[in-house]
Amino acid sequence: MPRPPTPRLSFINKVSASNKIPRQINRNLIFNQIRARQPISRADLARVSGLQRSTVSLIVEELLAERWIVEGPMGRLPRGRRPTFLNLNGQRGVLALDVHPSQTTLAVLDLSGKILSQNLIALPEDPKKVIAAIVDAIQKMIAANSERSFDGIGMSLPGRFNLQLRESNPARTNPARSIFAPNVSWPIGLVKSRVEDATGLPVVVDNVANACALSEVWFGDTDGMHDLVVVNVSEGIGTGIFANGRIIRGEGGLAGEFGHVQVDPNGLPCSCGSRGCWETVASNRAGMRYYTEIAKKPSPAFENLLKLAAAGDPAGKESIDRMCIALGRGLHMIATALAPTEIVVVGDITPLWYLVGPLVEAEMRRNPLVRVPRIRPAHEGNKARLRSAVALVMHENLL
Ligand SMILES: [Zn+2]
């Protein structure tokens, strides 16, 4: 099957300069309408997209020629018309590698974002052996899915690549150093090139919060017109900022490190080398530390701490309450700085949003805000990180 040219991390930066934007936007629109409504006829596509029939036909022919979509069986409509329905090409897929400081997940997804299989990768203790273990797991996953054609590997990391540094002078850049990932102890900057060399597949890497922000837009959970901040609450806290129609990357790709804004100069040391950063008081780790302080015994894993809180355990509840208050204060800072339309929270706390959401919002509103954004957990919060891999790869491939 012909593969489109190897994608590069370039679309987002080129948006403002490109004159292909309307065509790209329409391609994206048509593809996503087919994804969301398949099987669908060309006539219905024109109706739901609001585009002219001729434009729809042109884009559909392109997407068919590139095999992103396929023609399905004929449909039956009243009055004897029999349109051909369109579907995404179910043979194509994307691999998702979601690197977490505490666990790394590898998954196979189809182009619609459906997770077809997923495994945890057991990473060796020795930092030098980690990349080999990841490469090995990916090769096995590809072999186990030999009937599928993969368009790439989307990789979300708890860190930030300095893309400019790498692209401006890749030969002289030490990739291990071109990443800010204070919660990871192995050479994470090398993983992209090693996996590309081993598999021949393009690997699209981004910070997990950026990837989730892109995913919100790609999968249409937000309209792409309004500004949005994704806050990933995990071992640390990362944010992805989507503003003015693109991900805001900042100098050195380091925009969005609100987790490392100091909120208490006398606070605990942070993995970044500073003290009292927001993530030291509002991350999962902080919640577990509060439990240890309150209950005077070691905290269970964060997942189980959430279960305790949900079950009404006083120490469990108080520790999650404290974490939520700290979270709300930080979100107040973000809302004040950026005035996004929406803040989307990703992370282990999202299944308990009915419990934590009101606490976070109350704390946020305790101090007046010029504009209060909508706050919501990510759509299918626990799958958001894996699904973002499809957005990373498809955003580059399709556009
Ligand atoms: Zn820090």
Side-chain angles (χ1 to χ4, degrees), residues 259-261 270-275 277 279-280:
H260 295 289
V261 171
C270 179
S271 53
C272 72
S274 181
R275 271 184 179 278
C277 295
E279 72 173 42
T280 66

Side-chain angles (χ1 to χ4, degrees), residues 366-386:
R366 209 167 53 79
N367 290 310
L369 265 172
V370 177
R371 202 183 164 286
V372 180
R374 192 157 84 94
I375 306 179
R376 65 172 168 90
H379 174 68
E380 295 192 279
N382 50 350
K383 296 181 189 152
R385 298 168 60 117
L386 292 175

Side-chain angles (χ1 to χ4, degrees), residues 348-362:
D348 303 313
I349 58 165
T350 55
L352 247 69
W353 195 250
Y354 68 94
L355 209 69
V356 303
L359 288 167
V360 170
E361 289 201 36

Side-chain angles (χ1 to χ4, degrees), residues 120-134:
L120 286 180
I121 307 181
L123 298 188
E125 299 265 312
D126 182 352
K128 290 192 203 113
K129 295 183 179 162
V130 169
I131 293 182
I134 289 175

